[in-house]
Amino acid sequence: MLEYMISEGFNPNNYEKILELLQSAPLSLSKDLTKYNPYLLSDKVVYSELDEYGIDGAYGYLENSEIVVPKTIENDMRFLYTPNKIPYKKHSYGAPNINEFDVAVFCEDSLAENFTNIYKTVINSLNFNNVYFGFITEMYPKIDHGDQRLVYVFRQLMNKFNSGYKLSYETISEENKKLYLIKKK
Protein backbone atom coordinates (compact mmCIF):
# COMPACT_ATOMS: atom_id res chain seq x y z
CA MET A 1 0.00 0.00 0.00
CA LEU A 2 2.84 2.41 0.74
CA GLU A 3 4.11 2.06 -2.83
CA TYR A 4 0.62 2.83 -4.13
CA MET A 5 0.33 5.87 -1.85
CA ILE A 6 3.68 7.15 -3.15
CA SER A 7 2.54 6.63 -6.74
CA GLU A 8 -0.53 8.74 -5.87
CA GLY A 9 1.52 11.67 -4.58
CA PHE A 10 2.43 10.80 -0.99
CA ASN A 11 6.03 11.89 -0.46
CA PRO A 12 7.23 11.41 3.12
CA ASN A 13 10.08 13.88 2.47
CA ASN A 14 7.47 16.65 2.26
CA TYR A 15 6.30 16.24 5.86
CA GLU A 16 8.02 17.12 9.09
CA LYS A 17 5.76 14.84 11.17
CA ILE A 18 3.48 12.01 10.05
CA LEU A 19 0.51 10.79 12.13
CA GLU A 20 -0.57 7.20 11.48
CA LEU A 21 -3.89 6.01 12.84
CA LEU A 22 -5.69 2.77 13.72
CA GLN A 23 -2.98 0.22 13.02
CA SER A 24 -0.78 -2.09 15.08
CA ALA A 25 2.98 -1.60 14.83
CA PRO A 26 3.66 -4.82 12.87
CA LEU A 27 1.05 -3.91 10.24
CA SER A 28 1.76 -0.17 10.21
CA LEU A 29 3.14 2.04 7.48
CA SER A 30 5.23 3.69 10.21
CA LYS A 31 7.60 0.73 10.43
CA ASP A 32 8.70 1.58 6.87
CA LEU A 33 8.72 5.33 7.55
CA THR A 34 10.84 5.50 10.73
CA LYS A 35 13.31 7.97 9.25
CA TYR A 36 10.40 10.38 8.57
CA ASN A 37 9.32 10.89 12.19
CA PRO A 38 6.00 8.98 12.26
CA TYR A 39 3.77 8.81 15.33
CA LEU A 40 1.45 5.80 15.57
CA LEU A 41 -1.79 6.42 17.48
CA SER A 42 -4.04 3.41 17.86
CA ASP A 43 -5.97 1.25 20.27
CA LYS A 44 -3.90 -1.62 18.81
CA VAL A 45 -0.60 -0.19 20.06
CA VAL A 46 1.55 -2.52 22.13
CA TYR A 47 4.54 -0.63 23.50
CA SER A 48 6.98 -3.52 23.16
CA GLU A 49 6.13 -3.63 19.44
CA LEU A 50 6.67 0.13 19.07
CA ASP A 51 10.10 -0.33 20.65
CA GLU A 52 10.89 -3.33 18.46
CA TYR A 53 10.18 -1.34 15.27
CA GLY A 54 11.60 1.95 16.56
CA ILE A 55 8.29 3.79 16.21
CA ASP A 56 7.13 6.69 18.39
CA GLY A 57 3.48 6.51 19.37
CA ALA A 58 0.86 5.79 21.97
CA TYR A 59 -2.16 3.72 22.82
CA GLY A 60 -4.95 6.18 22.04
CA TYR A 61 -7.33 7.63 19.47
CA LEU A 62 -8.65 10.83 17.88
CA GLU A 63 -11.66 12.53 19.41
CA ASN A 64 -13.07 15.92 18.40
CA SER A 65 -9.97 16.42 16.24
CA GLU A 66 -7.64 15.97 19.23
CA ILE A 67 -5.21 13.24 20.17
CA VAL A 68 -6.39 11.37 23.25
CA VAL A 69 -4.05 9.09 25.20
CA PRO A 70 -6.32 7.73 27.95
CA LYS A 71 -5.24 6.79 31.45
CA THR A 72 -4.53 3.06 31.36
CA ILE A 73 -2.13 0.75 33.13
CA GLU A 74 -0.11 0.41 29.90
CA ASN A 75 0.07 4.17 29.43
CA ASP A 76 1.00 4.65 33.10
CA MET A 77 3.85 2.15 32.71
CA ARG A 78 5.02 3.86 29.51
CA PHE A 79 4.72 7.52 30.46
CA LEU A 80 4.81 7.68 34.26
CA TYR A 81 7.47 5.15 35.10
CA THR A 82 9.82 5.51 32.14
CA PRO A 83 12.20 8.43 32.77
CA ASN A 84 12.77 9.36 29.10
CA LYS A 85 9.06 9.55 28.23
CA ILE A 86 6.75 12.53 28.57
CA PRO A 87 5.32 12.97 32.11
CA TYR A 88 1.70 12.72 33.14
CA LYS A 89 -0.18 16.03 32.91
CA LYS A 90 -3.66 16.93 34.17
CA HIS A 91 -5.63 13.72 33.61
CA SER A 92 -3.84 12.85 30.40
CA TYR A 93 -0.38 12.05 29.17
CA GLY A 94 1.80 14.51 27.33
CA ALA A 95 0.50 13.50 23.92
CA PRO A 96 1.45 15.65 20.97
CA ASN A 97 -0.96 18.25 19.66
CA ILE A 98 -2.72 17.31 16.45
CA ASN A 99 -1.46 20.57 14.88
CA GLU A 100 2.12 19.27 15.10
CA PHE A 101 1.42 16.86 12.23
CA ASP A 102 1.55 17.73 8.54
CA VAL A 103 -0.22 14.61 7.27
CA ALA A 104 -2.45 11.82 8.55
CA VAL A 105 -2.22 8.33 7.08
CA PHE A 106 -3.68 4.91 7.64
CA CYS A 107 -4.01 1.64 5.84
CA GLU A 108 -6.58 -0.92 6.89
CA ASP A 109 -7.32 -4.37 5.52
CA SER A 110 -9.89 -5.67 8.01
CA LEU A 111 -12.64 -3.23 7.22
CA ALA A 112 -15.82 -4.88 8.45
CA GLU A 113 -14.68 -5.33 12.05
CA ASN A 114 -13.32 -1.79 12.37
CA PHE A 115 -16.02 0.05 10.44
CA THR A 116 -17.04 2.38 13.31
CA ASN A 117 -13.43 3.23 14.23
CA ILE A 118 -12.54 3.93 10.61
CA TYR A 119 -15.59 6.13 10.11
CA LYS A 120 -14.84 8.18 13.26
CA THR A 121 -11.16 8.45 12.35
CA VAL A 122 -11.92 9.73 8.86
CA ILE A 123 -14.29 12.38 10.19
CA ASN A 124 -11.81 13.44 12.90
CA SER A 125 -8.94 13.62 10.41
CA LEU A 126 -10.49 15.66 7.64
CA ASN A 127 -9.15 18.90 9.08
CA PHE A 128 -5.60 17.93 8.05
CA ASN A 129 -4.09 19.69 5.06
CA ASN A 130 -3.02 16.29 3.78
CA VAL A 131 -4.62 12.88 4.28
CA TYR A 132 -3.88 9.51 2.73
CA PHE A 133 -6.26 6.78 3.84
CA GLY A 134 -5.74 3.41 2.23
CA PHE A 135 -7.81 0.31 2.52
CA ILE A 136 -7.44 -3.09 0.95
CA THR A 137 -10.19 -5.50 -0.09
CA GLU A 138 -10.26 -8.95 -1.59
CA MET A 139 -11.08 -8.78 -5.27
CA TYR A 140 -12.37 -12.30 -5.95
CA PRO A 141 -14.48 -14.33 -5.56
CA LYS A 142 -16.55 -11.41 -4.25
CA ILE A 143 -16.14 -8.24 -2.26
CA ASP A 144 -17.47 -8.50 1.28
CA HIS A 145 -20.62 -6.47 2.02
CA GLY A 146 -18.75 -4.60 4.76
CA ASP A 147 -16.18 -3.49 2.19
CA GLN A 148 -18.90 -2.31 -0.19
CA ARG A 149 -20.55 -0.39 2.64
CA LEU A 150 -17.23 1.25 3.53
CA VAL A 151 -16.58 2.31 -0.07
CA TYR A 152 -20.09 3.78 -0.18
CA VAL A 153 -19.53 5.68 3.10
CA PHE A 154 -16.18 7.04 1.90
CA ARG A 155 -17.80 8.26 -1.31
CA GLN A 156 -20.52 9.94 0.75
CA LEU A 157 -17.92 11.57 3.02
CA MET A 158 -16.06 12.94 0.02
CA ASN A 159 -19.28 14.33 -1.44
CA LYS A 160 -20.16 15.89 1.91
CA PHE A 161 -16.87 17.75 2.08
CA ASN A 162 -17.31 19.64 -1.20
CA SER A 163 -15.43 17.17 -3.35
CA GLY A 164 -12.16 18.21 -1.76
CA TYR A 165 -11.17 14.53 -1.59
CA LYS A 166 -10.46 11.96 -4.23
CA LEU A 167 -11.05 8.19 -4.12
CA SER A 168 -8.71 6.22 -6.36
CA TYR A 169 -8.09 2.52 -6.61
CA GLU A 170 -5.81 -0.02 -8.17
CA THR A 171 -6.32 -3.71 -8.81
CA ILE A 172 -3.53 -6.19 -8.12
CA SER A 173 -4.81 -9.33 -9.85
CA GLU A 174 -1.92 -11.60 -8.88
CA GLU A 175 -2.61 -10.90 -5.19
CA ASN A 176 -6.40 -10.91 -5.55
CA LYS A 177 -6.57 -7.41 -4.00
CA LYS A 178 -7.99 -3.99 -4.65
CA LEU A 179 -6.23 -1.01 -3.10
CA TYR A 180 -8.37 2.06 -2.38
CA LEU A 181 -6.96 5.43 -1.42
CA ILE A 182 -8.65 8.58 -0.16
CA LYS A 183 -6.61 11.74 -0.41
CA LYS A 184 -7.12 15.48 -0.71
CA LYS A 185 -7.22 16.72 -4.28
Side-chain angles (χ1 to χ4, degrees):
M1 181 52 103
L2 185 57
E3 287 176 23
Y4 180 55
M5 289 170 65
I6 289 169
S7 76
E8 286 288 320
F10 175 70
N11 183 348
N13 290 310
N14 293 343
Y15 307 110
E16 195 170 313
K17 262 189 127 177
I18 298 169
L19 176 63
E20 183 174 5
L21 303 164
L22 292 179
Q23 204 50 272
S24 66
L27 298 177
S28 72
L29 298 169
S30 293
K31 73 177 194 260
D32 297 319
L33 296 169
T34 54
K35 69 180 186 177
Y36 300 103
N37 202 17
Y39 186 89
L40 179 59
L41 181 71
S42 171
D43 63 0
K44 296 177 184 174
V45 160
V46 175
Y47 289 112
S48 61
E49 292 175 346
L50 287 183
D51 295 340
E52 178 183 337
Y53 290 101
I55 301 170
D56 191 17
Y59 174 89
Y61 51 90
L62 286 181
E63 185 173 274
N64 299 323
S65 297
E66 290 192 17
I67 293 174
V68 176
V69 179
K71 182 161 179 52
T72 65
I73 292 171
E74 293 83 9
N75 285 339
D76 276 354
M77 294 302 294
R78 181 68 166 196
F79 297 108
L80 293 181
Y81 308 118
T82 306
N84 62 341
K85 299 296 177 186
I86 300 169
Y88 181 77
K89 297 179 185 174
K90 193 181 173 191
H91 305 297
S92 69
Y93 303 93
N97 186 302
I98 199 164
N99 296 325
E100 295 176 32
F101 297 94
D102 305 310
V103 63
V105 300
F106 81 74
C107 176
E108 183 66 59
D109 62 1
S110 55
L111 302 175
E113 65 200 43
N114 285 325
F115 179 77
T116 304
N117 268 353
I118 292 170
Y119 186 81
K120 282 190 216 174
T121 298
V122 169
I123 289 175
N124 277 300
S125 302
L126 290 175
N127 64 338
F128 279 93
N129 289 332
N130 297 291
V131 294
Y132 291 88
F133 296 148
F135 51 105
I136 302 168
T137 64
E138 294 291 325
M139 191 172 66
Y140 298 111
K142 65 183 176 80
I143 294 177
D144 182 275
H145 292 295
D147 296 347
Q148 289 176 344
R149 181 175 60 158
L150 190 61
V151 171
Y152 172 77
V153 167
F154 280 159
R155 286 184 190 270
Q156 295 304 313
L157 282 169
M158 290 185 302
N159 290 339
K160 180 179 177 180
F161 293 100
N162 300 322
S163 302
Y165 297 85
K166 175 184 174 186
L167 176 65
S168 58
Y169 72 93
E170 181 174 297
T171 301
I172 304 175
S173 299
E174 60 274 5
E175 293 183 24
N176 194 31
K177 302 276 184 189
K178 266 195 176 178
L179 306 178
Y180 292 88
L181 182 66
I182 293 177
K183 65 178 189 168
K184 276 201 171 177
K185 288 184 180 178

